[in-house]
Amino acid sequence: MTSEAKTAGPASGPLTERQEARRRRILHTSAQLASRGGFDAVQMREVAESAGVALGTLYRYFPSKVHLLVATMQDQLQHLHTTLRKRPPAGQDAAERVSETLMRAFRALQREPHLADAMVRALTFADRGVSPEVDMVSRQTTAIILEAMALDAVPTPEQLSAVRVIEHTWHSALITWLSGRASIAQVKIDIEMVCRLIDLTDPDHRG
């Protein structure tokens, strides 16, 4: 994911060290503004001023606020992935580990509700023009789930399908919680339920 993230920018090739540092400042500023006031608080001109870049430069990195906030979500997930590697889930089986991992991710977002709302709204608003950034969020989420599963072999098509369904459920649960239509307790129940798909798609489990 890191190498893919570094290709996103004003140039077609990998970013230079200076460009990557500039990109990181922009993403950090975006997260800070969103944490304070949500989606509406992220204004491109203010992001540029706070990050110390020209407005035109900001638009070369991120053509719109939606592009910026979706990239911010990928960046937040990447930080979470690093944290999870330092303290892996302790569940006894793959379903428990994935459930624990996703709830830890959920609670991390819960601590920054304005930021979470801004990023999820951006994902919801994203059209085909934002597909590369949305794909990066999806790949990062998939990587987090697969690493928590700790498979002994390459995942089967059925297992990858289960991962996609789990990812969709986690995203949907996040939306319903942010809109006040689901409690944390209900989210936990739903996540634990969908993670049972891991057992159903395990070749050994199916005999």
Side-chain angles (χ1 to χ4, degrees):
M1 291 304 301
T2 303
S3 61
E4 289 171 329
K6 289 189 177 183
T7 62
S12 58
L15 299 183
T16 65
E17 187 174 335
R18 183 177 179 183
Q19 289 172 328
E20 178 63 17
R22 183 182 297 133
R23 183 178 185 275
R24 298 218 57 79
R25 284 203 313 276
I26 292 170
L27 291 173
H28 178 69
T29 300
S30 169
Q32 281 190 319
L33 292 173
S35 294
R36 294 176 198 155
F39 186 85
D40 294 335
V42 181
Q43 301 297 323
M44 296 296 271
R45 186 172 296 280
E46 186 173 353
V47 171
E49 291 175 356
S50 298
V53 301
L55 185 59
T57 300
L58 173 60
Y59 277 110
R60 284 199 296 274
Y61 281 84
F62 304 103
S64 72
K65 179 164 77 170
V66 170
H67 283 83
L68 173 58
L69 282 169
V70 173
T72 300
M73 185 165 195
Q74 191 275 332
D75 189 57
Q76 293 293 310
L77 286 171
Q78 191 166 311
H79 284 305
L80 174 67
H81 200 175
T82 300
T83 300
L84 289 167
R85 282 173 172 163
K86 293 177 181 176
R87 189 165 64 89
Q92 294 186 352
D93 58 38
E96 287 183 10
R97 290 193 296 272
V98 172
S99 176
E100 179 188 338
T101 294
L102 292 179
M103 286 310 299
R104 282 169 61 182
F106 195 92
R107 291 188 180 97
L109 292 171
Q110 186 187 7
R111 289 192 288 272
E112 297 282 0
H114 291 306
L115 174 58
D117 183 63
M119 295 186 301
V120 170
R121 284 179 65 181
L123 276 177
T124 304
F125 295 152
D127 57 20
R128 290 186 178 181
V130 197
S131 290
E133 289 81 3
V134 172
D135 287 346
M136 288 174 71
V137 168
S138 180
R139 286 196 293 271
Q140 185 72 65
T141 307
T142 298
I144 289 171
I145 294 172
L146 286 173
E147 193 158 311
M149 289 170 69
L151 300 176
D152 294 327
V154 175
T156 66
E158 290 81 7
Q159 287 173 318
L160 290 175
S161 180
V163 168
R164 286 192 295 272
V165 174
I166 292 168
E167 182 183 336
H168 295 327
T169 301
W170 182 75
H171 182 234
S172 177
L174 187 57
I175 292 174
T176 55
W177 171 73
L178 286 167
S179 64
R181 293 183 287 121
S183 65
I184 297 298
Q186 185 60 56
V187 167
K188 187 173 187 294
I189 291 170
D190 292 348
I191 293 299
E192 289 175 348
M193 178 66 71
V194 76
C195 284
R196 294 182 184 179
L197 287 174
I198 293 172
D199 292 334
L200 296 177
T201 56
D202 184 344
D204 294 333
H205 182 271
R206 291 180 298 172

